[in-house]
Amino acid sequence: MTQPLNIVWNPSEGIDLGFFMIRYYSLMFVVAFGLGWFLMKKIFEREHESLEKLDSLFVWTVLATLIGARLGHVFFYDWEYFRNHLMEIFLPFRFEPEFQFTGFQGLASHGAAVAIILAMYFYSKKILKRSMLWILDRVVIPVASGAIFVRIGNFMNSEIIGNDTTSAFGIRFLHDQFSKSEAVNATQIANPKDAYNAIATDPKFADLLAQVPAKHPTQLYEAFCYIFVFAILFFLYWKTNARLKTGFLFGLFLVLLFVVRFIVEFVKESQGGIESSLGYFSTGQWLSIPFIIIGLFFIIRAQRNPLAES
């Protein structure tokens, strides 16, 4: 039997500037959107599109990603809670059992995908004056790159982790096992950061550390696979005539990204949602299936009608 790497994952919350904390998850979103803007700038220059339209695209994409991802989590994964706490959908606070600043916890990629597609429809009609598939074939390239950094952000947050494992890839997520209050109470150390460090390094708390199981770092599995999704789309757009096959790159993106998601879900902890009523597959897998089918439709359509008007 292979042994896990035995890495105890105990990251800091972010980069502490003294007067402000730059959280790693937020930083990964900034990197994702910044790189996305740069990639689309190169694409717009190649296609001789006005860069003025790029600013609008950036705003539309950012808003669609954040709003769609949030609503996706609310409706797909945790509606039973939010139906009774509607104010918390768009507020970074929790009011019960006591007032608490939580940030925006809970973003679902399936919701972001739906929102981006809808946003591109209106953007193509009102601003770009091209077909929706033209922009979708191109915007999926930066979206694929962004997915890499979002999953790295999830890893830094010790969220969306995998099942227990004895494989060589297992990582012990300390923050997933113990909340801040649990770490403080268990160690009697008032500062949560110091409490976590004590559990991770102080032999006196070895019994607490022993309670932390090794789990699949599914965020890293996805991030690694998304590198190849991005590379394939990038290569096909820049080095082949795939961009001329209307809908092909968009369809390929849906198939590749959501097949990765479907496979990784097999070793991912349950996130709740509709799986309790549908069974067999996880919520993430059920939500991925329609995207894969739609992607296959556009791939076949593009092959049959490669020079459709774009």
Side-chain angles (χ1 to χ4, degrees), residues 174-212:
L174 187 60
H175 294 215
D176 175 71
Q177 183 70 20
F178 301 108
S179 67
K180 289 182 180 180
S181 60
E182 289 172 339
V184 167
N185 291 334
T187 61
Q188 294 300 301
I189 298 174
N191 184 289
K193 180 180 179 181
D194 293 338
Y196 280 128
N197 288 337
I199 295 174
T201 60
D202 192 335
K204 183 170 62 174
F205 300 108
D207 58 329
L208 292 175
L209 184 59
Q211 298 177 29
V212 184

Side-chain angles (χ1 to χ4, degrees), residues 16-246:
D16 191 351
L17 301 179
F19 61 93
F20 183 71
M21 173 75 75
I22 303 176
R23 298 184 183 277
Y24 290 123
Y25 189 59
S26 300
L27 180 61
M28 290 300 101
F29 265 94
V30 171
V31 172
F33 287 128
L35 178 59
W37 182 89
F38 175 79
L39 290 169
M40 284 306 297
K41 177 176 180 290
K42 294 299 182 182
I43 290 172
F44 268 42
E45 289 174 344
R46 181 184 192 183
E47 305 283 356
H48 305 293
E49 277 294 340
S50 169
L51 293 184
E52 293 181 0
K53 298 178 181 179
L54 182 59
D55 293 335
S56 298
L57 175 64
F58 180 79
V59 173
W60 284 58
T61 305
V62 170
L63 291 177
T65 300
L66 298 179
I67 295 174
R70 182 59 173 167
L71 291 178
H73 173 77
V74 169
F75 292 113
F76 296 150
Y77 289 94
D78 210 5
W79 177 239
E80 286 302 312
Y81 174 82
F82 284 104
R83 65 188 296 182
N84 299 314
H85 303 84
L86 296 177
M87 292 293 290
E88 295 180 21
I89 294 177
F90 289 113
L91 291 178
F93 308 108
R94 174 165 291 176
F95 298 97
E96 296 178 2
E98 61 184 15
F99 181 82
Q100 178 186 7
F101 177 80
T102 60
F104 290 108
Q105 296 180 345
L107 299 174
S109 58
H110 296 91
V114 172
I116 290 173
I117 292 171
L118 291 175
M120 293 306 100
Y121 170 78
F122 290 105
Y123 172 78
S124 64
K125 297 295 183 184
K126 294 181 177 295
I127 298 175
L128 190 62
K129 308 301 181 183
R130 286 182 182 259
S131 77
M132 180 175 71
L133 284 177
W134 186 92
I135 188 61
L136 285 174
D137 277 335
R138 288 149 180 83
V139 80
V140 293
I141 299 173
V143 169
S145 70
I148 301 168
F149 295 99
V150 170
R151 283 297 179 248
I152 293 175
N154 294 140
F155 179 70
M156 299 303 297
N157 270 6
S158 300
E159 59 189 5
I160 315 182
I161 63 178
N163 298 322
D164 293 3
T165 181
T166 57
S167 75
F169 300 107
I171 291 179
R172 301 165 76 180
F173 291 92
L174 187 60
H175 294 215
D176 175 71
Q177 183 70 20
F178 301 108
S179 67
K180 289 182 180 180
S181 60
E182 289 172 339
V184 167
N185 291 334
T187 61
Q188 294 300 301
I189 298 174
N191 184 289
K193 180 180 179 181
D194 293 338
Y196 280 128
N197 288 337
I199 295 174
T201 60
D202 192 335
K204 183 170 62 174
F205 300 108
D207 58 329
L208 292 175
L209 184 59
Q211 298 177 29
V212 184
K215 297 190 175 186
H216 285 287
T218 49
Q219 322 95 321
L220 297 185
Y221 296 169
E222 286 191 55
F224 179 76
C225 293
Y226 292 159
I227 292 173
F228 293 96
V229 175
F230 166 70
I232 290 169
L233 295 172
F234 186 89
F235 174 82
L236 290 175
Y237 174 80
W238 286 100
K239 301 298 183 180
T240 73
N241 66 347
R243 70 186 186 282
L244 303 178
K245 300 178 180 180
T246 304

Side-chain angles (χ1 to χ4, degrees), residues 259-299:
V259 163
V260 168
R261 178 68 183 273
F262 188 91
I263 294 172
V264 174
E265 285 283 331
F266 281 113
V267 294
K268 187 183 294 184
E269 280 189 343
S270 171
Q271 304 295 308
I274 60 176
E275 63 191 55
S276 58
S277 57
L278 294 179
Y280 196 71
F281 291 134
S282 71
T283 298
Q285 288 174 316
W286 282 116
L287 294 175
S288 295
I289 291 171
F291 286 101
I292 295 170
I293 294 172
I294 293 170
L296 289 171
F297 166 79
F298 279 107
I299 290 174

